[in-house]
Structures are given as structure tokens and as C-alpha cells.
Amino acid sequence: MVCIELRFPLIGTALPSDHGYAMYSAISKLVPEAHQADWLAVETVPGTVRGDGGIHINERARLRMRMPQDRLPLMLKLAGKRLEVDGYGVRLGVPQTLLLKPSSALYARCVTIKKFMEPEPFLDAVRRKLDELEVKGQPEIGSRRAFRVGSHTIVGFALTLRGLSDEASIVLQERGIGGRRHMG
């Protein structure tokens, strides 16, 4: 299975700061097959905090998704579409399709592992997940992160993995080690 990254330019000015679930929901409305898809990873869009619960996005902002290449035709349906993301509207431009690139270090803004909300147990769980994938690397956790999914608060941590082989970095980019990859 070859995984790819699809990058859609975003046409708009703002998004909610906590937009992972709302973005996933907007995508699922236009592509119902994406709902609860274990093959889809959607990254949150970076931006500048505005102070009103939103972020400002600039002309270089991209919505990035990872998926198996055979799902590309399905997700290309999003090109040119308007997404309503928790009251903020953005339009998706024509995407770029890229192969995943190996890297000796990978960073994730927020990784969640069910039932692990404290730093040390979370780090132990990360090590177990790496062992399951037969990946060697040095995990470093960063700041604690929380986001809302409906009435639930989900807790995770920023995570950096260093000392990765090319193969290990591709495996991690394809499969991830936590849950909720489709929500950023």
C-alpha cells in the first residue's frame, strides 16, 4: 500500500482555533465515505491566534490529508468545494499530491492514546505502540493539548520522535501511533 499526502490550498481568512473535529465533520458531509475512515488522517491547519476563538489563515495555508493512493479519486471530490467549519467558511483549491518523505525526526502537534492523560503513562504507552510497529526511535513529549469533540474533552500531547530510520518514518507517517488521526 502506497500512502500519499494531499494538500489543498485554503481560500478564506479564518478558522476556529479548535477546528480538528469540525473540519473532519465538514469533510465527511461532502465525502460520506470519509466518516469514521481508519485510512484517513487530516491535519489541523496552522494559523495565527486572533483572540476571539479563531485563527487567521494566510494565503499559504493548506489542508493536508494522508491516505492510501487508491482513495485519491474519492478525496479529489473536495477540490473547489466550500467547507463550513463551525461557522467559518473556507473554499478548497486545486490540491497537490505528494509521496511521503522519510525523515529522521517527526513531530505531531497532538497525539492521543485512549486513557493516557498524564505525561509518564502517556510516554510509556507511546513506547509500547512503537514496539508494536517495530519502530526504533526516541520519543519526547511536549505540551499537553486538549480539544473538544461534542461534549467531550480529549487530552493528548505534542510528540517528537527522533532517530528514525527511513523505513520507520514512513511507517509512522502512514499508520500513526495514536487515535483520532482524522481529527488533526
Side-chain angles (χ1 to χ4, degrees):
M1 165 185 70
V2 174
C3 282
I4 58 162
E5 183 169 285
L6 195 57
R7 292 183 186 173
F8 288 94
L10 282 177
I11 302 159
T13 57
L15 283 169
S17 295
D18 184 8
H19 63 268
Y21 180 73
M23 180 68 76
Y24 169 65
S25 178
I27 290 166
S28 295
K29 284 179 184 169
L30 295 174
V31 181
E33 298 89 342
H35 185 64
Q36 295 186 345
D38 61 354
W39 49 263
L40 179 64
V42 179
E43 294 185 24
T44 54
V45 178
T48 307
V49 176
R50 296 184 343 171
D52 64 353
I55 58 170
H56 176 74
I57 55 175
N58 64 34
E59 66 278 352
R60 293 186 320 267
R62 301 288 183 266
L63 172 61
R64 296 166 30 151
M65 301 179 196
R66 290 192 183 137
M67 69 202 70
Q69 73 177 15
D70 65 344
R71 301 295 182 152
L72 178 62
L74 180 65
M75 300 311 286
L76 284 175
K77 294 177 184 178
L78 294 170
K81 298 290 193 244
R82 178 178 166 77
L83 298 179
E84 198 60 39
V85 183
D86 220 8
Y88 293 78
V90 292
R91 184 165 304 280
L92 300 181
V94 177
Q96 278 184 298
T97 305
L98 303 138
L99 291 174
L100 302 180
K101 293 181 184 177
S103 177
S104 62
L106 295 174
Y107 170 78
R109 183 179 169 279
C110 185
V111 173
T112 64
I113 300 175
K114 197 171 191 172
K115 299 182 182 178
F116 293 96
M117 297 182 286
E118 297 300 325
E120 286 307 312
F122 177 83
L123 192 54
D124 291 340
V126 167
R127 289 184 181 115
R128 285 191 300 277
K129 296 280 188 183
L130 291 173
D131 287 345
E132 288 171 16
L133 293 172
E134 299 178 354
V135 166
K136 303 290 184 227
Q138 295 81 45
E140 300 169 15
I141 62 171
S143 58
R144 184 181 179 131
R145 311 273 186 177
F147 60 94
R148 308 265 318 150
V149 176
S151 62
H152 301 286
T153 300
I154 308 299
V155 175
F157 294 88
L159 180 66
T160 303
L161 293 167
R162 300 187 192 284
L164 300 170
S165 68
D166 288 353
E167 296 80 20
S169 74
I170 294 297
V171 166
L172 286 169
Q173 290 177 71
E174 289 175 348
R175 297 183 54 198
I177 58 170
R180 299 178 180 86
R181 293 181 68 223
H182 51 278
M183 293 183 227

